[in-house]
Amino acid sequence: MGRAPCCEKVGLKRGRWTAEEDDILANYIAQHGEGSWRSLPKNAGLLRCGKSCRLRWINYLRDGVRRGNISKEEDDLIVKLHATLGNRWSLIASHLPGRTDNEIKNYWNSHLSRQIHTFRRIYTTVRDTTITVDIHKLSAAGKRRGGRTPGQSPKSSTKKKQPVPEPVTNAKGTSSTASSPPQSDEARSAVVDPDQNQPNNSISVSNTSDGPCSEDGTWPMVMDPVVDQTDALEANCTVDQHQMGLWEVSNPMDQIGILEDESEVQALLSSSVTAESGIDPGGLSQVDDLLDMDWEGFASNLWDQPAQNGLLQPAEPQVATGSESDELESFVSWLLSDAC
DNA sequence: AAGTAGATCAACCGCCTGGCG
DNA sequence: ACGCCAGGCGGTTGATCTACT
């Protein structure tokens, strides 16, 4: 037997709220106050579930609810808070006056989760070439096919909402499901084809430095990756893909750089291709693969893959031990300060 | 002009938690 | 200590819209 439903759904209206329903709900709450959500619909004469009434009130009708575009400051704050708190939307919303958890959640899922993730502080690999790609510019190169552009609102919608950028959190720890941005199967397969165990996108590399490697010496060891939100994805793309089907991600500190456009990427790739890799030194097809690669899926995939064989080990959350709530609050305070 | 793909976001669903008897 | 209940929360869905082919 399942849990009893929160309310009797038979005969209840669902879907979008009408202006009349909004008026009824707002008037009732103005007279009787919030609370008693289960009995509210009946008392107010609404054919709605109590939860639906509560949601409508909290997210749209309540005083102080801000509508409209999310500012850059709010955007930044959401990014910071999400990096710390994960998908604890209500907690994040509590730091943004007038914003609701639902709005922030939607904003994150539709805007920020698509933004670029940066992987940094990763030890060097045995054979690597660091390629830092400005994903924003690459992804803007004509892949979008349709859809409402950010900031646009449906004409029929009476409420306006806004867009924001997105952060990435280290999922391990504080929030079990919070960290990985939404990722489609399609995006996932763009990184690895499990059936063929072959990378769908290959990039050649040259051996530029020594560094830790796996015990058998076959695969470069990648340690202590930290996901951070920036404007670029800094990824060391090696030709090889280890057995787990993951791209190596590395970031030798002495090789970091930002490639501003495709020509720079091509130039770098062309110069770093080695005959040993078995890839055409011209590298153009590989460059195309790089440019077509689903970087977001690539980034997300890192968190989706368990840290098997120790190749990828997500860093511990920055807020963890002791009195969690106290530390969390103090860390959030720090985030909200000018310290960062 | 029509069809399609993808973006947006309001609303729903089900689980979790805390209060109370 | 236990069970029930209401409210809260995060994940997901689906309608609607626009850009693109």
Side-chain angles (χ1 to χ4, degrees):
Chain A
M1 282 266 300
R3 182 188 181 89
C6 70
C7 56
E8 179 54 64
K9 292 182 170 55
V10 177
L12 293 184
K13 187 178 177 184
R14 298 183 59 186
R16 308 236 160 184
W17 281 65
T18 64
E20 290 76 18
E21 287 177 313
D22 283 346
D23 287 342
I24 293 172
L25 178 59
N27 289 335
Y28 181 87
I29 293 178
Q31 293 177 19
H32 301 90
E34 295 183 42
S36 303
W37 295 109
R38 178 167 290 203
S39 60
L40 185 151
K42 182 180 178 182
N43 296 336
L46 287 166
L47 294 176
R48 292 279 182 174
C49 169
K51 279 189 170 185
S52 181
C53 293
R54 175 186 164 271
L55 197 65
R56 185 67 183 172
W57 173 255
I58 295 292
N59 288 337
Y60 299 95
L61 301 177
R62 185 181 49 170
D63 285 343
V65 173
R66 294 173 60 191
R67 318 295 307 178
N69 296 332
I70 289 179
S71 67
K72 180 68 171 65
E73 289 71 25
E74 289 176 309
D75 185 292
D76 291 342
L77 189 52
I78 292 171
V79 168
K80 285 181 178 179
L81 290 171
H82 187 270
T84 304
L85 304 173
N87 293 5
R88 294 150 90 169
W89 305 116
S90 61
L91 202 52
I92 294 173
S94 68
H95 292 281
L96 288 106
R99 302 296 183 184
T100 67
D101 55 351
N102 205 41
E103 183 176 19
I104 293 172
K105 177 173 58 183
N106 281 334
Y107 183 74
W108 176 271
N109 288 335
S110 62
H111 295 85
L112 302 184
S113 67
R114 267 189 292 282
Q115 292 187 359
I116 308 318
H117 315 143
T118 291
F119 295 81
R120 64 179 183 181
R121 282 192 58 215
I122 300 171
Y123 281 64
T124 185
T125 63
V126 172
R127 302 173 301 154
D128 60 1
T129 294
T130 297
I131 300 170
T132 302
V133 180
D134 186 330
I135 307 264
H136 283 145
K137 296 183 179 183
L138 293 181
S139 61
K143 276 208 165 185
R144 189 179 183 279
R145 284 182 46 86
R148 193 178 301 159
T149 56
Q152 288 180 323
S153 296
K155 290 176 183 172
S156 61
S157 175
T158 58
K159 315 289 185 181
K160 265 194 147 184
K161 299 231 153 189
Q162 300 100 27
V164 188
E166 93 168 37
V168 170
T169 62
N170 178 350
K172 183 178 178 182
T174 54
S175 181
S176 61
T177 60
S179 323
S180 295
Q183 182 186 11
S184 66
D185 292 341
E186 184 179 347
R188 202 180 306 277
S189 66
V191 178
V192 163
D193 182 339
D195 293 335
Q196 299 177 11
N197 195 27
Q198 291 291 328
N200 291 338
N201 303 282
S202 298
I203 299 168
S204 61
V205 298
S206 60
N207 188 353
T208 58
S209 63
D210 293 328
C213 60
S214 57
E215 289 185 18
D216 63 3
T218 303
W219 301 101
M221 179 83 76
V222 179
M223 301 170 64
D224 190 25
V226 173
V227 179
D228 192 13
Q229 198 263 336
T230 71
D231 289 339
L233 168 63
E234 297 173 349
N236 177 0
C237 305
T238 70
V239 173
D240 291 314
Q241 181 187 35
H242 61 62
Q243 297 96 319
M244 300 309 298
L246 287 173
W247 287 88
E248 281 304 335
V249 176
S250 179
N251 193 1
M253 292 308 182
D254 59 346
Q255 296 183 39
I256 294 176
I258 303 294
L259 303 185
E260 291 292 333
D261 54 39
E262 296 184 15
S263 63
E264 288 190 40
V265 174
Q266 294 196 11
L268 172 59
L269 288 175
S270 297
S271 66
S272 62
V273 169
T274 64
E276 174 194 356
S277 68
I279 294 175
D280 173 16
L284 292 182
S285 63
Q286 309 303 325
V287 170
D288 289 341
D289 286 342
L290 168 64
L291 297 179
D292 289 340
M293 182 173 175
D294 181 343
W295 288 98
E296 183 182 319
F298 164 55
S300 301
N301 193 52
L302 288 171
W303 297 117
D304 291 341
Q305 297 290 336
Q308 301 176 52
N309 71 9
L311 286 171
L312 287 169
Q313 301 175 0
E316 292 296 327
Q318 299 174 17
V319 178
T321 61
S323 172
E324 184 180 2
S325 59
D326 289 347
E327 293 195 13
L328 201 56
E329 233 4 84
S330 73
F331 189 70
V332 168
S333 297
W334 176 78
L335 274 177
L336 298 178
S337 72
D338 295 331
C340 61

